Amino acid sequence: MKHILSIIFLLSCFVGQAQKKQDAFETGEWFKFRIHYGIINASYATLEVKDGSLDGKNVYHVVGNGKTTGFASIFFKVNDNYESYFDKKTGKPYKFIRNIDEGGHTKNVEIDFDYKKKKALVNNKKHNTKSEYDIEKNVQDMVSAFYYLRNNYDVTKIKEGEEVVLNMFFDKENFKFKLKFLGRETMKTKFGKVPCLKFRPYVQAGRVFKESESLTLWVSDDENRVPIRIKAKLMVGSLKADLDAFKGLKHPFKILVD
């Protein structure tokens, strides 16, 4: 179950194909995800959009939290916190925080993005070290990417088999995350039948995931682009995360009526 919540926050990022359109979210939006590891209801994760201020700039401040619950917490305790401060107009991240405890595996890292120097300033609070790394153009952190793509990417003309690539900076490295559009599918949820876009993110096999195509992601096919479900084949077992609750959506949530 290690890295489960990291997977949720990372995979929530990938929702479409480029073309500017109206904002997909606003302050006050909140999501809750229920995560199953095999047959066990393992944990919950939340994402919330707040107003914030950083170095005199008015920004969005997104906070993500996740914890194991019930029976699962007896064997493997998770307490994760992710935060991102990003520009309200451009979506570029200014600061990213990752403070996690996953069964004793801990990290406490703060990343500041300096666009004049084109550097990521990484403050590892656990080991009391600071370092700088080059960053790529249009870089995003693993939380800000979700909101950036929702505002700047449109899937109305996307075709099956098309791929999306995004520049990401995570921990201390740049990488390109790629996913393929698999088509449209109607998903049965606790809210009703939801039209969805289906994606196949590519991941590195061997450490957490069983193979490079171990993940499948569904997002709502409406103006919100809400993550509905994530399924993963892990090296040990499988994982499923479902949207469990939400509030503060900017646009109507599309549900099909029989």
Side-chain angles (χ1 to χ4, degrees), residues 78-131:
V78 170
N79 188 359
D80 288 359
N81 178 72
Y82 293 81
E83 299 181 50
S84 180
Y85 297 80
F86 56 89
D87 193 276
K88 285 192 172 184
K89 292 184 178 179
T90 66
K92 67 180 182 181
Y94 296 120
K95 189 180 190 71
F96 174 70
I97 298 171
R98 185 184 183 209
N99 187 3
I100 66 169
D101 185 344
E102 299 176 345
H105 170 74
T106 62
K107 285 195 175 185
N108 189 358
V109 176
E110 293 189 3
I111 301 173
D112 292 286
F113 294 91
D114 188 330
Y115 294 100
K116 290 183 179 180
K117 294 183 178 181
K118 298 181 180 179
K119 298 284 187 179
L121 313 177
V122 179
N123 181 3
N124 189 324
K125 292 190 170 183
K126 177 181 176 180
H127 297 292
N128 196 27
T129 61
K130 295 183 179 180
S131 51

Side-chain angles (χ1 to χ4, degrees), residues 202-229:
Y202 292 94
V203 294
Q204 184 178 0
R207 285 174 35 181
V208 177
F209 301 104
K210 189 173 183 179
E211 54 190 27
S212 63
E213 297 187 9
S214 292
L215 291 164
T216 309
L217 167 67
W218 291 262
V219 299
S220 64
D221 190 5
D222 58 24
E223 293 179 320
N224 298 297
R225 301 290 186 259
V226 176
I228 298 298
R229 176 171 293 175

Side-chain angles (χ1 to χ4, degrees), residues 35-201:
I35 305 167
H36 292 269
Y37 181 72
I39 62 173
I40 300 173
N41 182 20
S43 57
Y44 287 93
T46 60
L47 280 171
E48 183 176 8
V49 181
K50 303 179 179 181
D51 283 325
S53 179
L54 188 67
D55 298 328
K57 304 183 185 72
N58 291 323
V59 298
Y60 283 122
H61 177 201
V62 172
V63 179
N65 290 299
K67 291 184 179 182
T68 46
T69 59
F71 184 75
S73 63
I74 298 174
F75 300 97
F76 193 91
K77 291 185 178 181
V78 170
N79 188 359
D80 288 359
N81 178 72
Y82 293 81
E83 299 181 50
S84 180
Y85 297 80
F86 56 89
D87 193 276
K88 285 192 172 184
K89 292 184 178 179
T90 66
K92 67 180 182 181
Y94 296 120
K95 189 180 190 71
F96 174 70
I97 298 171
R98 185 184 183 209
N99 187 3
I100 66 169
D101 185 344
E102 299 176 345
H105 170 74
T106 62
K107 285 195 175 185
N108 189 358
V109 176
E110 293 189 3
I111 301 173
D112 292 286
F113 294 91
D114 188 330
Y115 294 100
K116 290 183 179 180
K117 294 183 178 181
K118 298 181 180 179
K119 298 284 187 179
L121 313 177
V122 179
N123 181 3
N124 189 324
K125 292 190 170 183
K126 177 181 176 180
H127 297 292
N128 196 27
T129 61
K130 295 183 179 180
S131 51
E132 293 186 357
Y133 300 91
D134 294 333
I135 54 175
E136 300 291 337
K137 185 178 180 181
N138 299 324
V139 69
Q140 293 288 322
D141 65 50
M142 64 186 296
V143 174
S144 68
F146 172 34
Y147 298 91
Y148 174 80
L149 291 176
R150 289 171 68 194
N151 270 353
N152 292 275
Y153 282 62
D154 179 24
V155 295
T156 57
K157 298 180 181 179
I158 196 170
K159 297 179 181 179
E160 289 188 28
E162 288 187 5
E163 295 180 344
V164 179
V165 180
L166 182 70
N167 288 328
M168 300 277 291
F169 185 88
F170 183 59
D171 277 354
K172 57 182 181 180
E173 63 179 316
N174 294 281
F175 67 96
K176 292 186 182 297
F177 199 99
K178 181 174 69 173
L179 77 163
K180 181 187 293 186
F181 178 57
L182 300 181
R184 287 174 164 81
E185 183 176 344
T186 298
M187 301 295 292
K188 291 182 179 180
T189 75
K190 63 179 293 184
F191 314 105
K193 294 180 180 179
V194 179
C196 289
L197 305 161
K198 185 178 180 180
F199 293 93
R200 172 61 43 77

Side-chain angles (χ1 to χ4, degrees), residues 218-246:
W218 291 262
V219 299
S220 64
D221 190 5
D222 58 24
E223 293 179 320
N224 298 297
R225 301 290 186 259
V226 176
I228 298 298
R229 176 171 293 175
I230 297 167
K231 294 180 72 174
K233 296 177 182 178
L234 308 179
M235 289 297 293
V236 179
S238 61
L239 174 147
K240 183 177 75 169
D242 288 307
L243 182 67
D244 189 65
F246 63 88

